[in-house]
Amino acid sequence: MTPFPFSAIVGQDEMKRAMILTAIDASIGGVLVFGDRGTGKSTAVRALAALLPPIRAIRNCPVNSAKAAEVPSWANLKSKRGHVVPTPVIDLPLGATEDRVTGALDIEKALTKGEKAFQPGLLAKANRGYLYIDEVNLLEDHIVDLLLDVAQSGENVVEREGLSIRHPARFVLVGSGNPEEGELRPQLLDRFGLSVEVASPTDINERVEVIKRRDAFENDNAAFMLRWQAEDAAIRDRILKARKSLGKLKTSEKTLRDVAELCLALGSDGLRGELTLLKAARAYAAWRDDTALTRAHMRAVAAMALRHRLRRDPLDEAGSGTRVARTVEEVLG
């Protein structure tokens, strides 16, 4: 069955906005979604990937190379013809071994043919797409360290069992989890560009609408998909248009000072907060088809870009989103 339409997801506006922004500019660095179970976290990432235009890749290339010249030599492809494939969405399960994630020696070929061949892992399959990790806060430490290295370099390196393999591994990392089940390591938390918090709807009409749409999706799928086809197409067209207009956006010196002053006032560590806030605000401006970056764009994305970068303040019981909103008012007015 095809994924649930992105435009048919009820509510969860901040989560949908964050995912759209990373679709416009993948360098923002992915999305972390924390909240209740059953709030559409995995549905949203699969729906967005299905909505996006397909990518052109070399047929049977294990890393989804766009051009024949980019196909790794170890792939040993007889033909390097291109074709169109859906944007990859790869699940990284909690129990995945390091070999499954990074790739390893192909044991079958080694035993039957005596060949030392590489069996690609999940990172290869996710290249140019999305890597989705449910319950990311429960991920084992050695897998977290591995993801940190790849997220930093955009390249997966495997050097063991006599193999020395490198291949591109650039993907939008989407993680979800329930904060009650454990915290995320600060090093990995900082690698997510945006962070959003979701909750089950409390409005009875909204909950009823969720039930109605899900029921229609499961029991009258053809009609339901046709109903939302135009809305999804409109979102896809806006994303493509925003990608093209990103480079034309004007950013004033005053805006850059606003970004720096806001992050300084919040006490966010390092400069990743400023860079992410700037990229997210620019993507949002492009999404709105505006020609210049303004404070309004920064206000719209400040919480999702900065809430997970704040140092804990034991004297302040307000949530991180509230602290960001309060500081935005103080700095930007």
Side-chain angles (χ1 to χ4, degrees), residues 87 157 194 291:
T87 299
V157 180
L194 306 177
T291 56

Side-chain angles (χ1 to χ4, degrees), residues 2-4 6 44-54 86-87 89 232 236:
T2 54
F4 193 85
F6 188 80
V45 65
R46 288 179 175 80
L48 179 65
L51 171 150
L52 292 176
T87 299
V89 180
D232 266 15
R236 177 170 57 250

Side-chain angles (χ1 to χ4, degrees), residues 114-332:
E115 296 179 7
K116 188 179 289 185
F118 179 61
Q119 178 66 47
L122 299 177
L123 296 180
K125 295 178 181 179
N127 189 43
R128 302 180 65 204
Y130 288 77
L131 184 67
Y132 176 63
I133 311 171
D134 193 16
E135 298 183 342
V136 63
N137 46 325
L138 303 181
L139 204 61
E140 294 183 20
D141 283 350
H142 72 284
I143 300 295
V144 170
D145 292 335
L146 189 156
L147 287 176
L148 287 173
D149 290 340
V150 175
Q152 175 71 27
S153 64
E155 185 178 52
N156 179 38
V157 180
V158 180
E159 292 185 338
R160 62 177 182 273
E161 299 165 335
L163 293 173
S164 182
I165 299 291
R166 293 173 180 266
H167 68 74
R170 295 180 178 88
F171 43 78
V172 176
L173 185 63
V174 180
S176 64
N178 187 334
E180 296 179 357
E181 296 176 349
E183 295 184 350
L184 197 62
R185 276 177 56 182
Q187 298 94 325
L188 185 57
L189 185 64
D190 190 49
R191 288 295 171 188
F192 286 94
L194 306 177
S195 172
V196 297
E197 298 170 357
V198 296
S200 301
T202 55
D203 179 77
I204 187 67
N205 293 327
E206 193 171 321
R207 294 178 77 99
V208 169
E209 187 62 25
V210 171
I211 297 170
K212 286 169 61 178
R213 293 188 188 181
R214 191 71 203 185
D215 182 62
F217 173 71
E218 293 178 356
N219 296 309
D220 193 8
N221 186 263
F224 184 79
M225 296 302 292
L226 186 63
R227 157 70 180 83
W228 293 98
Q229 187 175 17
E231 281 83 351
D232 266 15
I235 294 174
R236 177 170 57 250
D237 291 343
R238 283 185 70 182
I239 289 173
L240 291 173
K241 186 177 181 181
R243 286 177 179 177
K244 293 179 180 179
S245 63
L246 259 183
K248 302 175 185 177
L249 272 170
K250 298 178 181 178
T251 306
S252 66
E253 183 74 19
K254 184 177 182 301
T255 299
L256 295 179
R257 294 190 69 86
D258 282 341
V259 169
E261 286 178 14
L262 179 58
C263 291
L264 194 61
L266 282 165
S268 61
D269 292 324
L271 292 174
R272 191 168 280 125
E274 280 95 330
L275 295 173
T276 303
L277 175 58
L278 180 61
K279 288 181 178 181
R282 286 172 62 84
Y284 183 62
W287 168 252
R288 290 178 52 86
D289 201 21
D290 295 330
T291 56
L293 195 58
T294 68
R295 285 182 167 182
H297 302 127
M298 283 189 283
R299 288 192 190 97
V301 302
M304 64 177 73
L306 300 173
R307 62 159 56 95
H308 56 304
R309 306 180 196 280
L310 304 188
R311 297 172 186 170
R312 288 189 177 179
D313 185 351
L315 302 179
D316 191 341
E317 295 182 356
S320 56
T322 302
R323 288 170 59 192
V324 172
R326 189 172 59 207
T327 307
V328 166
E329 286 299 314
E330 294 171 356
V331 175
L332 303 182

Side-chain angles (χ1 to χ4, degrees), residues 40-90:
K41 298 186 291 290
S42 61
T43 297
V45 65
R46 288 179 175 80
L48 179 65
L51 171 150
L52 292 176
I55 62 172
R56 186 157 190 85
I58 300 302
R59 190 181 299 275
N60 298 322
C61 177
V63 296
N64 307 310
S65 296
K67 301 176 182 178
E70 298 172 352
V71 176
S73 58
W74 50 263
N76 294 321
L77 296 186
K78 296 179 179 179
S79 171
K80 295 184 180 180
R81 293 183 178 181
H83 69 148
V84 172
V85 295
T87 299
V89 180
I90 304 301

